[in-house]
C-alpha cells in the first residue's frame, strides 16, 4: 500500500488524502505529514509555516475563511479526534469552477485529510463533541489579510448537515465575526476576492 493516496476533488487545487494506517495489538501507526510524500501525491511543494489545532463542540461551525493572494495560505486539514464536515469553496474570480463547493467528511477512524491551495475558502462543522481539527498552513496568521464569507450564503447553497452523528439536531454555533460575514457577491463587488490569475500560480 502506498504511504499516501490522493483523490483530486472537483475544484482545482483541492485534494482528499488517505494515509496508510498500520495496526497491531498495540494500536495504530501512521505518518501524519510527510513533505516528500505529499509533493509526490499532489504535485505541490507544501512548506509549513504554522501548525494550528481547534477543539470544537458538536455543532460548532468555523468558516468560511480565506487569505489574500499573494501570499495566500494553503492548508492541510485533518480531524485528529471526532468527525468534521469539511467544506472548500472556489472564490477565485475567473476560475473555471468559481463559486463551486466541495465537501468531505473528515474523521479520526480513516484519518483522511484535505489539502486546499492558496485562494480557496475553507470551513467545517463539528459533528461530534470535542472534535479536534489540525491545520498545517503555509503562511503564518495575518489578521489584516484574512477574511470570511457567510457560510449560509444562499448563492453557495452549502448543505450543512442538520443532524449530528448520534442523530440529534445540531444547534449551529458560530463566532460573531463568522455570523456577520458578507456574501460572496458582496466580496466580489468590493474587489476583495483572490483572482484566478494570481492563485493558479500555486497549482501544479
Amino acid at each position: 500500500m502506498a504511504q499516501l493516496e490522493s483523490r483530486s476533488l472537483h475544484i482545482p487545487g483541492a485534494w482528499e488524502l488517505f494515509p496508510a494506517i498500520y495496526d497491531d495489538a498495540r494500536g495504530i501507526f501512521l505518518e501524519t505529514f510527510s513533505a516528500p510524500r505529499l509533493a509526490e501525491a499532489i504535485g505541490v511543494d507544501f512548506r509549513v509555516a504554522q501548525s494550528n489545532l481547534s477543539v470544537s463542540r458538536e455543532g460548532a461551525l468555523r468558516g468560511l475563511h480565506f487569505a489574500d493572494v499573494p501570499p495566500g495560505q494553503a492548508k492541510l486539514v485533518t480531524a485528529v479526534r471526532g468527525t468534521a464536515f469539511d467544506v472548500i469553496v472556489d472564490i477565485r474570480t475567473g476560475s473555471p469552477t468559481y463559486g463551486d463547493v466541495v465537501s468531505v467528511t473528515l474523521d479520526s477512524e480513516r484519518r483522511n485529510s484535505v489539502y486546499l491551495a492558496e485562494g480557496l475558502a475553507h470551513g467545517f462543522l463539528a459533528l461530534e463533541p470535542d472534535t479536534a481539527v489540525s491545520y498545517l498552513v503555509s503562511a503564518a496568521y495575518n489578521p489584516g489579510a484574512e477574511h470570511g464569507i457567510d457560510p449560509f450564503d444562499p448563492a453557495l447553497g452549502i448543505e450543512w448537515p442538520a443532524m449530528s452523528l448520534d442523530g440529534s439536531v445540531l444547534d449551529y454555533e458560530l463566532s460573531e465575526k463568522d455570523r456577520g460575514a458578507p456574501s460572496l457577491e458582496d466580496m466580489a463587488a468590493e474587489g476583495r476576492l483572490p483572482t484566478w490569475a494570481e492563485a493558479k500560480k500555486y497549482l501544479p
Side-chain angles (χ1 to χ4, degrees), residues 59-64 77 79 81-89 101-107 110 112 114 122-128 131 133 151-152 157-165 170 172:
L61 199 164
R62 299 178 185 267
L64 303 162
V77 184
R81 184 177 66 222
T83 305
F85 178 80
D86 196 271
V87 170
I88 300 169
V89 182
V101 176
V102 293
S103 61
V104 172
T105 298
L106 303 176
D107 64 71
R110 296 178 300 156
N112 59 325
V114 292
H122 174 258
F124 74 86
L125 172 67
L127 300 180
E128 290 187 87
T131 291
V133 173
F152 300 108
I158 300 173
E159 297 181 358
W160 298 102
M163 311 289 286
S164 68
L165 288 191
L170 287 173
Y172 300 135

Side-chain angles (χ1 to χ4, degrees), residues 2 6 11 13 37 41 44 46 51 56 58 95 106 109 127 131 135 137 166 178 193 196 201:
S6 64
I11 293 173
R37 294 194 199 283
V44 173
F46 177 54
S51 176
S56 302
E58 182 180 81
S95 166
L106 303 176
E109 293 295 323
L127 300 180
T131 291
Y135 320 66
V137 296
D166 66 8
D178 287 346
L193 296 177
W196 175 242
K201 298 175 183 177

